[in-house]
Amino acid sequence: MSTRTLFAFLFSFALTFSAFAQDGEMEAAWEWDPDDPRIGLSSGVDDAGEAILNLQKLATLPRPDGFKLADEAESGGRMSNTDLAFRDEYVFVGNYAGINVYDISDPANPSLEVSIVCPGGQGDVSVHGNLLFMSAQETRGRLDCGAEGVEEEVSMERFRGVRIFDISDMRNPRQVAAVQTCRGSHTHSLVSDLANPERIFVYVSGTSRVRPGDELPGCSSAEADEDSNTSYFRIEVIEVPLDNPADSRVVNEPRIFEVEGNIAGLWEGGDYGPGTQSSRRTDRCHDITAYPHLGLAGGACSGNGILLDISDPSNPVRIEDVADPNFAYWHSATFNNDGTTVLFTDEWGGGGAPRCMGSDLPEWGANAMFKLKDGELTLAGYYKLPAPQTEFENCVAHNGSLIPVPGRDIKAQAWYQGGLSVFDFSDPSEAYEIAFFDRGPISEGGQSRLTGGYWSTYWYNGYIYGSEIVRGMDVFALEPSEHLSQNEIDAAKLVMTEELNPQNQMQYSFPMHPSVAKAYVDQLVRAGEMTSDERTGLFASIDAGDSTASTTAAATLEMQALRNLSANQSDRWDTIRVRLAEQLYAVGQ
């Protein structure tokens, strides 16, 4: 365990230890509002009770008939909705049985464009231009996308890996490549090559058992000390030539967990002592989030969180690793826009267990935020859904994305049957909720617990889209509140992208626009760094295009920031002042 890892461990353990009583019994340190409307919601599939705050639900679409069973209790997750990807006016909804593509040109009235039947689980999706990527890991997957499955233990018809479809004709997608991997693809990450836009890379995270070498030569299920070529303790890197995707192939199998020649050199599995989580050994990554603009990727890798140097995207190299005694299974990672914070999620219970009950520790099954500086990660705080859920609801931290509000770090995140939570983590030690939506349990009283809820909730071009495992897809719009102004929402809507793959994170920037300037002003007033009267005056000069007033205000803001810097007291508000000054100078021109 490295010095940095040990520091993070000790700090995290100190937080956990504070939740114990003197006699050693666990005490839940979670506090919540007993009047929270999410508590006590009625159950049901299509008619469950709902609670919503600072959001407007615009649309709800059920899964298409071919992607659901009459009795969900018997589905075994084989037709569950999974992850989302976006391109232009389309959203691609993954499913264990294939992909559904929706037209979202009118977000309040989405419509089904096409369904791709292609079983294989779990249907993780990404899109780049006219190429659509899909993960498959189950042994029933077939090369031809057939629904009949594969019964033989060894079969050349079986497919486990990453499929690539040509969607240049959206209504007639066709598979153009199927890259086989030894453990299949539980998830995958597109990685842009900024130096060569003629290609893209796919990092494959396989979490399933290793297939026989007779089926795919080179696959080995041996332990690391038995076979240095084992299919564990690595990821696969696929190179995709965009002009000929049929030639896509695995070009590297990097040993990103190696320490001093030991390919199994990170966490060995188990717990960290009394009262800590038991976590799996680090022999895989569940999710890898690439941030090509920074040349970095964050890996959530079963027993560790890791940081990768991807300046050469074909050859990712681990440069940092952290552990946390509160984490059972490192699941996913998200960078803030500036690349100064990395948020990791813990999928305690594997997504099928009720891990948001009032008796659970708030650091378990939560997000852990790490500050990132000079390639080192330092634990800064946790965030967990602040409303307890019932024993009938699978609930734990899951997939989400940033909402591009200038000057703030805000995320929309799925919590399975805990619903959708929008929260601010600009100060990772004091993260807080801004908005939420939740439904009551799927399971009726007396039934066994059924798995459901949101797999993913992502912001895309002004709206939040949620992939509901059983119920379908939802679309939301943010509403202003004491925590988020209309100006901030309007500024976020100015950020438009042609594609969104949350595991290939893009850096967003803001135009010179009155809404952006007003968003910064609202933040300064909310923080007590500016008076309401000053806001009124600034808004008047912005609306009037008053060059003299705007330039004078900009110079004043820069002087305030400079004074704080010279006094060595600079904080995020000085950054906001400088960004606001830039906006005001633009008004002055």
Side-chain angles (χ1 to χ4, degrees), residues 5 66 99 133 148 181 266 274 280 287-288 314 393 445 471 482 502 554 582:
T5 298
I99 303 171
F133 301 81
E148 65 270 31
T181 60
L266 293 185
R280 299 186 190 181
D287 276 16
I288 299 172
S314 67
E393 295 171 286
R471 293 169 172 130
E482 61 179 314
E582 294 171 347

Side-chain angles (χ1 to χ4, degrees), residues 18-234:
S18 66
F20 285 80
Q22 292 183 353
D23 61 0
E25 293 295 323
M26 179 74 73
E27 287 187 350
W30 196 7
E31 295 182 2
W32 63 85
D33 179 1
D35 297 322
D36 192 302
R38 287 169 283 189
I39 299 174
L41 292 173
S42 59
S43 61
V45 177
D46 300 319
D47 58 350
E50 297 182 350
I52 192 166
L53 179 70
N54 300 332
L55 291 167
Q56 179 186 4
K57 187 173 67 170
L58 300 179
T60 296
L61 274 74
R63 288 176 298 164
D65 288 340
F67 287 81
K68 59 184 178 181
L69 297 181
D71 186 351
E72 291 299 339
E74 298 179 0
S75 70
R78 294 168 72 84
M79 290 188 176
S80 296
N81 272 351
T82 59
D83 215 352
L84 303 172
F86 302 82
R87 196 206 74 183
D88 299 330
E89 296 179 339
Y90 296 99
V91 57
F92 302 83
V93 183
N95 186 286
Y96 275 70
I99 303 171
N100 290 295
V101 185
Y102 294 88
D103 183 329
I104 53 172
S105 53
D106 179 1
N109 293 286
S111 60
L112 182 65
E113 183 76 8
V114 67
S115 294
I116 305 171
V117 177
C118 193
Q122 67 181 16
D124 194 37
V125 288
S126 296
V127 63
H128 182 73
N130 287 322
L131 297 179
L132 176 62
F133 301 81
M134 176 186 181
S135 286
Q137 70 168 356
E138 295 179 345
T139 57
R140 62 173 166 148
R142 296 178 57 90
L143 277 168
D144 61 3
C145 283
E148 65 270 31
V150 182
E151 294 183 1
E152 297 82 5
E153 184 175 345
V154 174
S155 173
M156 296 301 105
E157 296 179 338
R158 178 173 286 114
F159 178 74
R160 299 174 65 199
V162 176
R163 302 183 189 273
I164 305 176
F165 297 91
D166 183 325
I167 54 171
S168 52
D169 180 356
M170 187 66 74
R171 296 205 169 187
N172 293 286
R174 58 188 182 86
Q175 184 171 275
V176 293
V179 183
Q180 301 270 20
T181 60
C182 288
R183 301 182 70 182
S185 175
H186 190 71
T187 67
H188 68 266
S189 309
L190 294 194
V191 184
S192 306
D193 185 350
L194 301 183
N196 184 0
E198 300 302 313
R199 65 182 182 179
I200 197 165
F201 291 93
V202 182
Y203 292 174
V204 182
S205 298
T207 65
S208 188
R209 65 180 177 86
V210 178
R211 67 203 304 176
D214 291 343
E215 188 171 272
L216 185 63
C219 296
S220 169
S221 60
E223 291 296 325
D225 58 355
E226 299 173 350
D227 184 357
S228 61
N229 294 317
T230 178
S231 300
Y232 296 108
F233 307 102
R234 73 183 191 194

Side-chain angles (χ1 to χ4, degrees), residues 72 129 280 293 305 310 421 487:
E72 291 299 339
R280 299 186 190 181
H293 180 83
I310 59 167
S421 179
N487 291 315

Side-chain angles (χ1 to χ4, degrees), residues 184-453:
S185 175
H186 190 71
T187 67
H188 68 266
S189 309
L190 294 194
V191 184
S192 306
D193 185 350
L194 301 183
N196 184 0
E198 300 302 313
R199 65 182 182 179
I200 197 165
F201 291 93
V202 182
Y203 292 174
V204 182
S205 298
T207 65
S208 188
R209 65 180 177 86
V210 178
R211 67 203 304 176
D214 291 343
E215 188 171 272
L216 185 63
C219 296
S220 169
S221 60
E223 291 296 325
D225 58 355
E226 299 173 350
D227 184 357
S228 61
N229 294 317
T230 178
S231 300
Y232 296 108
F233 307 102
R234 73 183 191 194
I235 62 171
E236 289 96 352
V237 178
I238 298 172
E239 181 181 355
V240 181
L242 298 179
D243 61 348
N244 187 17
D247 281 349
S248 299
R249 61 191 179 91
V250 174
V251 295
N252 194 8
E253 296 174 338
R255 297 292 187 182
I256 58 174
F257 312 130
E258 184 172 346
V259 177
E260 297 179 351
N262 178 10
I263 64 174
L266 293 185
W267 180 237
E268 297 178 354
D271 62 36
Y272 293 90
T276 63
Q277 285 277 33
S278 178
S279 56
R280 299 186 190 181
R281 70 176 182 177
T282 302
D283 68 357
R284 71 192 74 177
C285 285
H286 186 281
D287 276 16
I288 299 172
T289 297
Y291 201 161
H293 180 83
L294 300 180
L296 296 174
C301 303
S302 54
N304 289 95
I306 67 174
L307 191 67
L308 297 169
D309 179 341
I310 59 167
S311 52
D312 174 3
S314 67
N315 185 37
V317 178
R318 190 186 83 258
I319 57 175
E320 170 71 313
D321 56 89
V322 289
D324 190 328
N326 290 308
F327 266 41
Y329 190 77
W330 295 70
H331 176 275
S332 55
T334 303
F335 292 86
N336 70 340
N337 192 52
D338 294 334
T340 56
T341 302
V342 186
L343 182 155
F344 290 99
T345 67
D346 171 26
E347 196 181 35
W348 175 33
R355 298 308 195 197
C356 299
M357 295 191 294
S359 57
D360 295 327
L361 283 174
E363 295 87 7
W364 291 15
N367 300 321
M369 278 80 73
F370 288 78
K371 298 301 292 183
L372 172 58
K373 185 176 181 180
D374 299 329
E376 296 186 7
L377 295 168
T378 305
L379 183 65
Y382 295 91
Y383 175 81
K384 188 169 183 176
L385 181 74
Q389 305 293 304
T390 70
E391 69 272 22
F392 295 107
E393 295 171 286
N394 59 301
C395 178
V396 75
H398 214 234
N399 296 343
S401 73
L402 299 181
I403 298 177
V405 175
R408 299 176 70 179
D409 298 331
I410 296 177
K411 186 177 183 181
Q413 184 170 5
W415 293 79
Y416 288 111
Q417 287 198 68
L420 157 66
S421 179
V422 178
F423 63 97
D424 182 302
F425 65 105
S426 304
D427 178 354
S429 66
E430 296 289 344
Y432 61 92
E433 190 171 55
I434 292 173
F436 64 73
F437 175 76
D438 190 17
R439 292 185 173 97
I442 293 173
S443 302
E444 303 286 354
Q447 287 184 341
S448 60
R449 185 177 61 254
L450 302 179
T451 297

